[in-house]
């Protein structure tokens, strides 16, 4: 008969005794600790004697074909003014604006625009932008701008001056711009 059945027969006590196999718990704890130590030792051997030498050999043999260049590592434009690589691309090359005053970029852009307005812009044989003076002359010679004159012109002017106000509830253009 098992110990469990013997406990059931003991009715003299007002409680049921717990039978704990303390020796089994000690064996289980020791076995678990032993497995943890063995696993740790095996992982240490795997890391330092297999994986690290392979990684070092791979680093020496590969040239990192996907490695980014210095320009690719920079964030895309626009960048903060004090950030590395902050600058402006122009026809004559890149202007470095890293440690200059905040208005430096605006001034450089204004210089470029003034040059285009005065001299125009060409790319090879193709004209991209005419100088302002040439464009005005070409527009006036073309005669493609037609203006309204007489009563028709006066009506267009009056329509341009009036606007819809709240007092007309959105029905009529009754107010005049001054």
């Amino acid at each position: 008969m098992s110990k469990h059945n013997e406990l059931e027969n003991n009715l003299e006590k007002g409680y049921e005794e717990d039978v704990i196999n303390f020796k089994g718990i000690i064996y289980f704890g020791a076995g678990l600790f032993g497995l943890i130590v063995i696993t740790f030792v095996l992982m240490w051997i795997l890391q330092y004697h297999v994986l690290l030498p392979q990684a070092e050999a791979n680093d020496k043999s590969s040239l990192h074909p996907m490695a980014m260049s210095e320009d690719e590592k920079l964030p895309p434009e626009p960048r903060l003014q004090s950030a590395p690589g902050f600058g402006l691309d122009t026809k004559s090359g890149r202007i470095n604006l890293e440690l200059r005053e905040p208005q430096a970029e605006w001034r450089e852009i204004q210089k470029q625009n003034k040059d285009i307005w005065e001299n125009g812009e060409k790319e090879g044989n193709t004209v991209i932008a005419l100088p302002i003076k040439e464009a005005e002359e070409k527009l006036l010679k073309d005669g493609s701008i037609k203006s309204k004159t007489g009563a028709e012109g006066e009506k267009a002017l009056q329509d341009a001056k009036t606007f819809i106000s709240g007092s007309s509830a959105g029905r009529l253009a009754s107010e005049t711009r001054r």
Side-chain angles (χ1 to χ4, degrees):
M1 211 176 194
S2 68
K3 291 182 183 180
H4 184 69
N5 290 338
E6 289 174 13
L7 290 175
E8 286 180 9
N9 294 335
N10 190 0
L11 299 175
E12 293 173 2
K13 295 182 180 178
Y15 59 91
E16 181 178 336
E17 284 186 38
D18 287 337
V19 178
I20 298 174
N21 189 358
F22 193 67
K23 191 165 107 176
I25 293 173
I26 296 294
Y27 285 152
F28 178 78
L32 185 62
F33 180 75
L35 284 174
I36 291 172
V37 168
I38 290 170
T39 305
F40 175 76
V41 169
L42 289 175
M43 291 304 290
W44 185 79
I45 291 171
L46 180 68
Q47 179 183 0
Y48 288 106
H49 296 291
V50 176
L51 296 177
L52 282 179
Q54 283 180 357
E56 289 172 1
N58 286 342
D59 281 347
K60 290 176 185 174
S61 67
S62 71
L63 298 175
H64 300 291
M66 297 298 290
M68 294 193 311
S69 67
E70 289 301 318
D71 290 338
E72 292 172 335
K73 288 180 184 178
L74 292 173
E77 295 279 350
R79 298 186 190 107
L80 293 175
Q81 291 165 339
S82 60
F86 177 70
L88 191 63
D89 292 323
T90 62
K91 292 180 210 173
S92 58
R94 183 154 180 91
I95 299 173
N96 187 4
L97 300 172
E98 286 179 20
L99 299 176
R100 295 199 34 209
E101 72 279 5
Q103 295 83 10
E105 181 181 19
W106 174 253
R107 289 184 185 128
E108 291 297 328
I109 290 173
Q110 286 299 321
K111 284 180 192 175
Q112 286 181 12
N113 289 342
K114 189 175 180 184
D115 182 53
I116 291 172
W117 293 335
E118 290 175 357
N119 304 322
E121 186 175 4
K122 291 184 179 181
E123 189 171 308
N125 293 332
T126 308
V127 176
I128 297 174
L130 288 175
I132 296 288
K133 297 290 181 189
E134 281 184 41
E136 286 175 354
E137 291 172 10
K138 186 174 183 180
L139 183 66
L140 293 175
K141 284 181 185 175
D142 237 356
S144 60
I145 295 180
K146 305 239 187 304
S147 63
K148 297 178 181 178
T149 57
E152 192 178 322
E154 289 295 323
K155 183 180 181 316
L157 179 63
Q158 187 62 26
D159 288 345
K161 283 185 179 179
T162 58
F163 63 95
I164 297 172
S165 67
S167 62
S168 69
R171 293 175 295 194
L172 299 171
S174 58
E175 296 290 324
T176 337
R177 289 189 182 92
R178 295 181 188 161

